[in-house]
Amino acid sequence: MVENQHSTEKVGEEWEGRKADHGLPPKLSSLRRALYLKAKQEPTFRFYALYDRIYRKDTLAAAWERVKKNKGSAGVDGIGIAAICAEAGGEAKFLEEIENEVKEHRYRPARVKRVYIPKPDGRERPLGIPTVRDRVVQMAVLLILEPIFEAEFLDCSYGFRPGKSALKLIRLWLRTPVEERREGNGGKPTVSRPTQGTPQGGVISPLLANLYLHCFDKLFHCRTGRIGSVRDAHTSVDQTHKENRNDGAGKEN
């Protein structure tokens, strides 16, 4: 009993040390902590009743505040954050509509707006911009799922970390069409449906990338037995191999 309590306290301190709950309502923060503790202490436990947590009023309100703080431009519908606040009923009406759509399983994501931003070498990087509404729903899902997956991700992962289920929403986002407007097409948008990956720019994209790369992390460690690799969202570096090379640098044969 004492050992289990000590373990709970240690895991709780580990979660709080991540400082991922800054500014969240106390009730939501307690839920996230409880999810992390459960996932960390019982790795084989399966979470089946999470969908209703996503459309809780405090979850959606916290998601909206984070999306609003991140600012960002409008998606394909042209509706930005300022426009939502200026509408009759404002934020309260906006969040109530989202709550009802998700609760009644009527929510469907809009197309993702594809834009291109310049890179230092002169090339362009594609960026996918979901609508503000979709960003709020994605953030709500992230707030609920993040603690569960954070408990499982390996320490070497640094990529952007801090049925009727949440996974259904993720499947919808992975299949969402991408809309882009480029010169040479008369200003008409072209629409494509992605066959792999998730657009950069979505709130949920970093979590989905880490979910995919987590399998790589586990496979790498199981096959090599090494614990010195470090990965972000784009690159994996074998620290053990790197250190061995550095140790050998400058030595004469």
Side-chain angles (χ1 to χ4, degrees), residues 9 14-15 35 70 80 82 111 116 129 154 172 181 216:
E9 292 176 354
E14 180 182 299
W15 170 250
L35 290 172
N70 291 338
R111 295 172 180 173
Y116 293 84
I129 304 178
L154 303 184
L172 286 175
R181 298 174 184 267
F216 166 80

Side-chain angles (χ1 to χ4, degrees), residues 28-41:
L28 177 58
S29 182
S30 296
L31 171 62
R32 281 165 53 84
R33 185 178 186 275
L35 290 172
Y36 182 82
L37 288 173
K38 188 71 172 179
K40 194 73 171 180
Q41 295 179 319

Side-chain angles (χ1 to χ4, degrees), residues 62-109:
W64 164 250
E65 289 301 324
R66 289 197 170 188
V67 169
K68 187 165 61 172
K69 183 179 180 180
N70 291 338
K71 299 180 180 179
S73 58
V76 294
D77 59 2
I79 302 175
I81 293 173
I84 292 172
C85 295
E87 285 184 356
E91 301 175 12
K93 179 184 176 184
F94 175 70
L95 294 179
E96 183 179 359
E97 290 174 350
I98 293 179
E99 178 187 349
N100 292 333
E101 286 182 5
V102 177
K103 183 177 183 178
E104 298 168 11
H105 303 281
R106 293 186 290 105
Y107 167 78
R108 294 294 181 274

Side-chain angles (χ1 to χ4, degrees), residues 75-252:
V76 294
D77 59 2
I79 302 175
I81 293 173
I84 292 172
C85 295
E87 285 184 356
E91 301 175 12
K93 179 184 176 184
F94 175 70
L95 294 179
E96 183 179 359
E97 290 174 350
I98 293 179
E99 178 187 349
N100 292 333
E101 286 182 5
V102 177
K103 183 177 183 178
E104 298 168 11
H105 303 281
R106 293 186 290 105
Y107 167 78
R108 294 294 181 274
R111 295 172 180 173
V112 175
K113 181 180 178 181
R114 172 66 57 77
V115 298
Y116 293 84
I117 57 176
K119 299 175 70 173
D121 60 5
R123 295 182 297 170
E124 293 181 320
R125 179 166 70 92
L127 195 67
I129 304 178
T131 63
V132 175
R133 178 183 296 266
D134 288 338
R135 297 207 293 269
V136 170
V137 180
Q138 288 185 11
M139 183 63 78
V141 171
L142 180 67
L143 287 171
I144 300 303
L145 294 187
E146 182 183 47
I148 298 172
F149 290 113
E150 280 293 320
E152 187 175 357
F153 288 152
L154 303 184
D155 290 338
C156 65
S157 175
Y158 284 88
F160 299 106
R161 292 177 62 191
K164 304 296 188 188
S165 68
L167 296 179
K168 176 184 177 182
L169 296 176
I170 291 178
R171 285 193 289 269
L172 286 175
W173 291 320
L174 289 175
R175 298 168 183 167
T176 300
V178 175
E179 177 181 309
E180 60 181 302
R181 298 174 184 267
R182 306 207 74 175
E183 296 180 3
N185 195 34
K188 296 181 180 179
T190 58
V191 179
S192 60
R193 189 175 292 275
T195 58
Q196 59 185 11
T198 179
Q200 279 187 289
V203 173
I204 202 73
S205 299
L207 176 62
L208 298 182
N210 275 319
L211 283 176
Y212 176 83
L213 291 171
H214 176 63
C215 296
F216 166 80
D217 291 338
K218 294 182 71 174
L219 183 64
F220 179 86
H221 286 286
C222 287
R223 288 190 174 182
T224 66
R226 293 171 178 159
I227 58 174
S229 65
V230 177
R231 176 187 61 73
D232 62 12
H234 310 287
T235 310
S236 178
V237 178
D238 184 351
Q239 290 288 88
T240 305
H241 180 60
K242 182 178 178 181
E243 289 171 3
N244 289 340
R245 289 182 61 185
N246 290 340
D247 289 343
K251 291 184 179 179
E252 296 182 1

